[in-house]
Amino acid sequence: MKPFPEESQWELLTAAGMREDFQAAWIEGGDADAIAAELSVDPATTLECDLATALRWSGADARTPVLWMGGHSPGWTFALVVAGSVLDLSLLTRRVLDFCYLRETDEFYGVAGLCHEAGLSDLHLNDDRGDKDDLDAHLVAVGRVTGRFIDRDWLAERRTLCRVPVGVLAS
């Protein structure tokens, strides 16, 4: 794996439609179904879809968390919160690299302790807080830790849109 992606991670996400707040997590474990079960997701209410379809849910009922979740790389699952209240995915029983960017206030909350991971010192990560200027370096760091950067193929993949029952992992 190259140390840097070919394209800006944040610019790819923005071009793909992430124009609102951004909350996502990379969850250790390659079995998205097992992670969905941990989140009490009813498999009968899920929908396989692309990112554009998932983002249409961004205006859904704010009380019900909706995730677009699926494979990221071997051993890692990606979960994007497309609607609903903020989830504390760090409460799962696995390692979670959790991100949150609030566009309105230009505040970024990244992975606590990521700046201390081996092999990331060249990225000059501040810590787990910052603004838009800090996003790309943190996304590159996550790509190195998980073994895959975001790219156009990654953005084109279909993942599962699922509702997380209200109260599960609520912060």
Side-chain angles (χ1 to χ4, degrees), residues 25-88:
W26 288 257
I27 305 164
E28 195 165 34
D31 186 347
D33 292 334
I35 294 168
E38 260 185 74
L39 294 169
S40 302
V41 169
D42 178 358
T45 64
T46 62
L47 171 70
E48 295 294 315
C49 65
D50 61 8
L51 179 58
T53 301
L55 290 176
R56 289 189 200 125
W57 283 80
S58 65
D61 181 0
R63 295 171 293 176
T64 305
V66 179
L67 302 177
W68 184 60
M69 188 169 68
H72 172 68
S73 63
W76 289 92
T77 296
F78 175 76
L80 172 68
V81 178
V82 293
S85 59
V86 175
L87 295 175
D88 186 356

Side-chain angles (χ1 to χ4, degrees), residues 82-161:
V82 293
S85 59
V86 175
L87 295 175
D88 186 356
L89 294 167
S90 67
L91 295 174
L92 289 169
T93 61
R94 10 178 124 243
R95 184 174 185 199
V96 176
L97 307 177
D98 195 11
F99 271 73
C100 183
Y101 176 63
L102 307 172
R103 282 190 190 267
E104 186 174 306
T105 58
D106 191 29
E107 293 177 292
F108 162 66
Y109 303 93
V111 180
L114 188 63
C115 60
H116 301 297
E117 291 271 338
L120 303 179
S121 61
D122 63 319
L123 296 175
H124 309 290
L125 303 173
N126 296 340
D127 53 18
D128 65 340
R129 292 179 183 240
D131 59 22
K132 183 177 155 190
D133 295 335
D134 298 306
L135 287 170
D136 214 56
H138 282 264
L139 289 167
V140 168
V142 167
R144 287 186 189 175
V145 170
T146 63
R148 183 176 185 187
F149 297 121
I150 296 167
D151 57 30
R152 293 179 189 278
D153 290 338
W154 184 95
L155 289 167
E157 290 178 16
R158 294 174 64 84
R159 293 180 175 81
T160 303
L161 193 65

Side-chain angles (χ1 to χ4, degrees), residues 17-28:
M18 310 268 182
R19 293 185 178 84
E20 302 298 326
D21 293 346
F22 175 73
Q23 183 187 0
W26 288 257
I27 305 164
E28 195 165 34

